[in-house]
Amino acid sequence: MAPELFTLPGLGWAITPYGLAVAVALVTSWLVALILARRDKLPTEVLGTVFVLSAIFGLLVARAGYLLQQGQGLELSHLRSLPAGGLAVFGGLFAALAVAAIGCRRFRVPTLAWLDCWAPAVALGGVIERVGAFFAGADFGMYVGPGDWGHVLGVTYPEGSPAFMLHTAAFPGLPGLTETTSAPVHPVQLYLAATCAVAFLVGLGLRRRRRFSGQAFLAVAAVFLLGRAVLFEPLRFDASPLALGPLRVQQVSGLGLLLVSAIAWRMLAARATARPSEARQWEGGPWTPRG
């Protein structure tokens, strides 16, 4: 949980362990996406650029969304910093998807074909990013006491961590809180990392048996949305407000997107039945590099 690893010479940018984890996640996602794109006969030379642009724009939007949620200004110094937990994930993902779609349209590459490569790669990057968040102590879970579900998985954070400072300031009598460690909390970062790992494996497995382009993307999205709604959102310390009975705002939005994914799956499956050759875009087309 070192706050800073080193500072980039000449730029003055501090590199934190979490920032390094994000960098590794992005590079890993980029490489995996291009490997899958090559297998799907897609033009990797242009899609590599599309990935980088979508990643940059997605990070900026995610950071800006978080700053606005916290009532902070969109100053350049705030935007370029990347503290652990300082991202609005959904906003960043939607922004990255929008840029990816625009890039695919610009280079005349089927968007769904690219998303079947993009989604598993991003899920793998999510595993790395969430593990980085866990070790940084960001986005920690709510208190889990003896007898609570998941108590055996509870973790404590050392003095100076966000969890320790919150518990000391707001809940000084919390069972398990000591002078050097926080009370036990749910390791929700690892719950979501496991969800991303499952999504990655599901995406890879489904790519081998898919009937239509977009199938792997929708499956990865479904696993992520379900895991986030069930394991992450209700157990995080700063869970969103209740919106529909026991469901919180982020859960309702996630389940709504899950329903949209199911409808899209049904529509694409019907189109694949009617026009199977058009649905199998990974088999090549005018966009496929020659030679």
Side-chain angles (χ1 to χ4, degrees):
M1 291 186 59
E4 181 179 323
L5 293 177
F6 57 88
T7 302
L8 290 178
L11 296 177
W13 291 4
I15 303 300
T16 64
Y18 175 73
L20 183 61
V22 171
V24 173
L26 289 174
V27 172
T28 301
S29 299
W30 178 73
L31 289 173
V32 172
L34 294 185
I35 291 172
L36 297 180
R38 186 176 294 111
R39 293 178 182 175
D40 286 358
K41 302 178 181 179
L42 300 177
T44 55
E45 66 279 1
V46 297
L47 290 175
T49 302
V50 170
F51 186 97
V52 171
L53 292 176
S54 63
I56 292 174
F57 196 73
L59 282 174
L60 285 174
V61 171
R63 182 66 178 141
Y66 175 83
L67 291 173
L68 291 175
Q69 290 174 5
Q70 301 300 313
Q72 301 181 39
L74 299 180
E75 300 177 8
L76 180 59
S77 60
H78 291 164
L79 285 172
R80 73 183 187 187
S81 66
L82 194 61
L87 298 173
V89 176
F90 271 134
L93 285 176
F94 278 118
L97 279 171
V99 173
I102 293 171
C104 287
R105 184 177 180 85
R106 168 67 177 80
F107 294 110
R108 299 181 181 179
V109 177
T111 301
L112 290 177
W114 170 233
L115 292 182
D116 275 351
C117 308
W118 181 88
V122 170
L124 180 59
V127 176
I128 300 171
E129 185 273 337
R130 283 293 85 193
V131 171
F134 171 75
F135 284 109
D139 295 333
F140 57 90
M142 61 192 304
Y143 168 73
V144 53
D148 292 341
W149 178 88
H151 174 68
V152 68
L153 300 176
V155 297
T156 59
Y157 282 101
E159 183 180 2
S161 65
F164 177 84
M165 290 188 289
L166 174 69
H167 291 172
T168 302
F171 310 102
L174 203 59
L177 177 63
T178 71
E179 295 182 356
T180 57
T181 63
S182 71
V185 296
H186 280 284
V188 290
Q189 313 96 321
L190 298 185
Y191 297 166
L192 197 55
T195 297
C196 289
V198 172
F200 171 68
L201 295 175
V202 168
L204 284 188
L206 194 55
R207 279 173 51 86
R208 301 175 181 176
R209 302 187 300 274
R210 53 188 157 162
R211 293 177 48 232
F212 55 86
S213 289
Q215 193 170 10
F217 163 68
L218 291 174
V220 169
V223 173
F224 175 78
L225 291 169
L226 186 60
R228 185 178 175 89
V230 174
L231 293 176
F232 181 72
E233 180 58 31
L235 298 177
R236 49 189 289 203
F237 86 97
D238 58 347
S240 55
L242 294 174
L244 186 63
L247 298 179
R248 300 184 179 277
V249 172
Q250 294 283 2
Q251 289 178 291
V252 172
S253 61
L255 293 175
L257 290 173
L258 187 61
L259 177 61
V260 171
S261 298
I263 294 172
W265 181 295
R266 187 176 182 85
M267 292 174 61
L268 290 173
R271 190 174 71 175
T273 301
R275 301 189 297 275
S277 60
E278 296 179 14
R280 302 174 65 85
Q281 296 169 337
W282 62 90
E283 294 179 345
W287 55 85
T288 302
R290 303 303 176 188

